[in-house]
Amino acid sequence: MREPELKFEDCRVLLVDDSAVARQVCEALLRDIGLRRITSVGRLTEARRAVETMSYDLVICDFLFDHEPSNGQELLEEWRRLRTLPFMSVFIMVTGESKYLSVAEALGSAIDDYLLKPFTAKTLAERITLAHRRKLALAPVLNAIEQRDHEGAVRICEQLLAEDSPHRGQLARLCVELHLKLGRKDDARRQLAQICAGANPPPWAKLARLQLDLEQGDLPGALAGLEKLIAEHPDHGDTWDVLARARYEQGSPRAALAVMQRAVEATPGSVTRLQKLGWLALLCDEPDTAREALARAVRVGSRSRLLDGHSVLLLMCLLADKGNARELRRARDQWQRIAGRQPPGRRQRRFEKLIEVLYAFSNQQAETGALALGVLADELRDEDADFEFACDFARVLMRVIGRGAPLPEVQRWAEVIGLRFATTRADTDMLARILADQPALAEVVRQAHAAVARRCQDAMSRLVQGSPAETVELLFETGRRSRNAKPLDMARRVIARHVADAPELAETDARIADFMARHCGEPRLDLGIAMPATRVVAGVVLDD
């Protein structure tokens, strides 16, 4: 059956290019082929505003913007991830020939097609029509994904692949990602092996195989493969992200920092990578690098929803260290302008409160700041308080002690932080480093960690005496009092080993699991920023 043609006269178009001459030329070509409903803008901020207020069937966007910190690819990835642009809308990138490789790389993720300058009206019409037909051909898969029918989406992908669809590249990638989402790693690996055995396998397929290798524990082989993939495809940003995260999880934050510095050089307009660079630099005690990266992230991402409030808070902490009241006030003003675009929730509200504490102390409003800090300290025992909040509270605390208002509860606050959030030696060391300018408080955290460890050791000694039930109860009690995840994890491991001989422990395990779900949750973070709830794969949004 013949696929329906796109009715150009009904098509609403958004044209984005920073060159007024290029916009005029392209708009004339669009009108020559029958497209009349055209909105033309010259800045990315104007494009964001247009898409937020109107639905477009077609977006034609230049790749490079000379006076913008971002580019067309990053704009599209933001739109797809946030679902600002409907998945059936066609996005065509326009570029000069020198940028062809970068645009071709982008084809693996989000764009529908590209045009090399200069182009004719005939070429423009053909590309628009082909991109629209591709959307229609993939519509059954896309609709199944939108309805979260991932099993059905896999079946449709496999059926279309068996029919030798002309859209095999996108279908294969979607099929792999859906297998992974459904937990079918063996199926995903088999399909990836077939793709990589062909000529010129795409970088996303190589990266997916290396990620599976990482999950299976082949760290040396995966790291070598990631470095090789970056050498082959330096513009493939996802590879940089995976390599940096692997280095960090390997216990090498400085190696992760070096990777992210190279990533930012390759993708200087990426708000996400600038934020990761700032967090890693702060972790590695390189405040100047951190401040520069976070300031750029706030500047570049001032109108982007990809800017995490955590980055603004960290930047303000670094500006407070410099005593730069003017820049601190400017950062706070920027935050107030962008706060409405941040995702709502307790995490967001805590950033706002911590930012206001810093601002109050920097403006000689110490009593106001101290009262607000005391309210935040009470939240350290809330059900949803987490390690990130504990670190941020400690960072702000270090910058306001001795700034004009007494803080008589400060030692108790440090003890609460240590008892609840110093779950591992690495977490304890990080908290102690943050509190290093107040050695007495750092020691309080270390002693709190040691106290929880002693109680755990005492509980485990009962296991040697043949009393798993008593061991579990002691560990559970320690976890309930401190809200520290370590004794609770230990209790569940003891239950797993002994539940076959003591089935009554299953009920205790359920109670512990419920307690941990309410009191020991952590935000999904990737190198210091919140992980998006969605990913863009072959132009399609997949919920994680």
Side-chain angles (χ1 to χ4, degrees):
M1 185 175 69
R2 182 179 175 83
E3 294 172 328
E5 296 295 333
L6 180 64
K7 295 182 179 179
F8 280 9
E9 65 271 16
D10 296 332
C11 192
R12 192 181 294 275
V13 184
L14 175 64
L15 174 60
V16 190
D17 198 309
D18 60 350
S19 166
V21 172
R23 289 199 305 274
Q24 291 173 357
V25 170
C26 190
E27 190 168 344
L29 293 175
L30 288 167
R31 293 188 185 282
D32 284 347
I33 61 176
L35 289 156
R36 299 283 188 270
R37 305 170 71 184
I38 304 168
T39 300
S40 181
V41 299
R43 295 180 60 83
L44 297 181
T45 52
E46 295 172 331
R48 289 187 178 97
R49 196 177 306 119
V51 167
E52 287 172 359
T53 56
M54 182 71 69
S55 177
Y56 291 93
D57 305 292
L58 169 65
V59 178
I60 297 179
C61 182
D62 194 32
F63 175 70
L64 187 63
F65 289 75
D66 290 334
H67 303 293
E68 300 261 9
S70 193
N71 61 40
Q73 178 184 338
E74 289 157 359
L75 175 69
L76 173 60
E77 288 176 352
E78 174 188 328
W79 279 346
R80 294 293 195 208
R81 182 172 289 115
L82 298 173
R83 287 192 168 94
T84 310
L85 190 70
F87 69 81
M88 286 302 291
S89 297
V90 171
F91 187 104
I92 295 180
M93 193 85 77
V94 177
T95 182
E97 192 164 357
S98 62
K99 295 295 176 182
Y100 170 76
L101 290 177
S102 295
V103 173
E105 200 73 62
L107 267 174
S109 57
I111 74 173
D112 296 304
D113 213 331
Y114 66 92
L115 280 165
L116 297 179
K117 297 178 182 178
F119 51 86
T120 65
K122 181 174 181 288
T123 301
L124 178 60
E126 289 173 349
R127 292 298 177 88
I128 294 172
T129 301
L130 287 172
H132 176 68
R133 287 177 180 172
R134 188 183 307 117
K135 287 283 188 184
L136 291 176
L138 296 175
V141 181
L142 306 183
N143 288 330
I145 292 172
E146 281 291 300
Q147 296 166 15
R148 291 176 171 78
D149 179 13
H150 300 120
E151 291 276 5
V154 168
R155 287 195 297 272
I156 297 168
C157 279
E158 291 176 340
Q159 178 184 345
L160 292 173
L161 285 168
E163 295 172 359
D164 199 24
S165 166
H167 314 301
R168 293 187 63 83
Q170 282 181 291
L171 286 167
R173 185 170 188 185
L174 284 170
C175 201
V176 168
E177 293 287 348
L178 289 164
H179 278 313
L180 291 172
K181 185 172 182 62
L182 293 167
R184 301 170 181 168
K185 294 183 180 179
D186 290 342
D187 291 335
R189 188 177 282 279
R190 278 194 294 272
Q191 190 156 16
L192 286 167
Q194 294 174 3
I195 296 169
C196 292
N200 300 317
W204 69 262
K206 296 179 182 179
L207 178 60
R209 291 185 81 180
L210 293 168
Q211 287 178 286
L212 288 172
D213 291 343
L214 279 171
E215 290 179 17
Q216 290 189 343
D218 182 13
L219 186 61
L223 290 174
L226 289 166
E227 292 284 5
K228 181 181 177 183
L229 184 54
I230 282 174
E232 295 171 348
H233 301 279
D235 292 323
H236 193 248
D238 290 350
T239 309
W240 292 103
D241 295 330
V242 173
L243 178 58
R245 187 165 59 250
R247 291 294 189 192
Y248 175 74
E249 292 174 354
Q250 183 190 22
S252 304
R254 288 202 170 275
L257 173 62
V259 171
M260 196 50 62
Q261 285 174 318
R262 291 159 58 199
V264 167
E265 290 174 3
T267 58
S270 171
V271 177
T272 299
R273 292 184 189 107
L274 283 167
Q275 292 175 96
K276 291 178 181 180
L277 174 60
W279 184 81
L280 286 166
L282 187 61
L283 193 66
C284 295
D285 297 319
E286 295 191 15
D288 291 341
T289 300
R291 186 168 52 252
E292 179 184 351
L294 292 171
R296 282 178 60 197
V298 171
R299 185 170 62 252
V300 171
S302 62
R303 296 186 180 275
S304 169
R305 293 182 187 178
L306 298 179
L307 182 65
D308 194 322
H310 192 222
S311 298
V312 181
L313 174 61
L314 295 181
L315 174 60
M316 290 189 67
C317 286
L318 292 164
L319 293 172
D321 292 343
K322 284 288 189 181
N324 193 329
R326 180 182 176 185
E327 289 299 317
L328 196 67
R329 183 162 51 252
R330 180 179 297 175
R332 187 250 196 175
D333 291 345
Q334 284 179 303
W335 166 253
Q336 290 185 327
R337 287 194 294 271
I338 67 177
R341 293 194 296 274
Q342 297 291 303
R346 289 291 293 275
R347 182 174 182 263
Q348 164 77 4
R349 289 194 294 274
R350 284 173 178 147
F351 292 150
E352 292 175 358
K353 293 176 182 177
L354 288 166
I355 285 170
E356 289 307 312
V357 168
L358 274 175
Y359 185 74
F361 274 92
S362 71
N363 282 274
Q364 288 76 50
Q365 300 170 10
E367 290 187 6
T368 301
L371 287 172
L373 192 63
V375 172
L376 280 165
D378 291 338
E379 294 187 22
L380 288 167
R381 292 192 60 81
D382 285 358
E383 285 190 355
D384 61 348
D386 52 47
F387 183 74
E388 179 190 52
F389 173 47
C391 290
D392 290 339
F393 181 91
R395 285 190 180 99
V396 171
L397 180 62
M398 287 299 92
R399 287 158 175 86
V400 302
I401 287 179
R403 295 286 297 274
L407 300 171
E409 297 291 308
V410 66
Q411 187 157 336
R412 183 178 66 83
W413 298 343
E415 185 176 18
V416 170
I417 289 173
L419 287 172
R420 182 171 185 180
F421 301 107
T423 56
T424 65
R425 187 175 298 278
D427 289 345
T428 305
D429 289 344
M430 181 179 289
L431 288 165
R433 283 201 307 274
I434 292 171
L435 297 168
D437 288 343
Q438 295 288 329
L441 297 183
E443 184 59 24
V444 167
V445 168
R446 293 192 184 280
Q447 289 300 321
H449 171 72
V452 172
R454 284 194 299 271
R455 291 173 196 157
C456 291
Q457 290 171 359
D458 179 59
M460 294 303 290
S461 70
R462 313 298 173 93
L463 189 59
V464 178
Q465 299 168 14
S467 181
E470 187 177 1
T471 297
V472 167
E473 282 303 324
L474 285 172
L475 290 169
F476 192 10
E477 179 62 20
T478 299
R480 273 198 301 257
R481 288 187 175 184
S482 63
R483 302 189 181 183
N484 188 305
K486 180 178 180 179
L488 300 169
D489 280 331
M490 292 177 68
R492 298 198 70 191
R493 287 200 295 269
V494 171
I495 291 172
R497 288 199 304 269
H498 296 277
V499 69
D501 299 322
E504 67 276 8
L505 290 176
E507 188 273 334
T508 305
D509 186 61
R511 287 192 292 125
I512 296 173
D514 178 69
F515 185 89
M516 292 184 74
R518 288 186 287 112
H519 296 280
C520 302
E522 291 291 335
R524 297 175 69 250
L525 301 179
D526 180 13
L527 300 181
I529 63 173
M531 293 179 66
T534 59
R535 288 182 304 118
V536 180
V537 177
V540 181
V541 177
L542 282 179
D543 293 316
D544 279 345

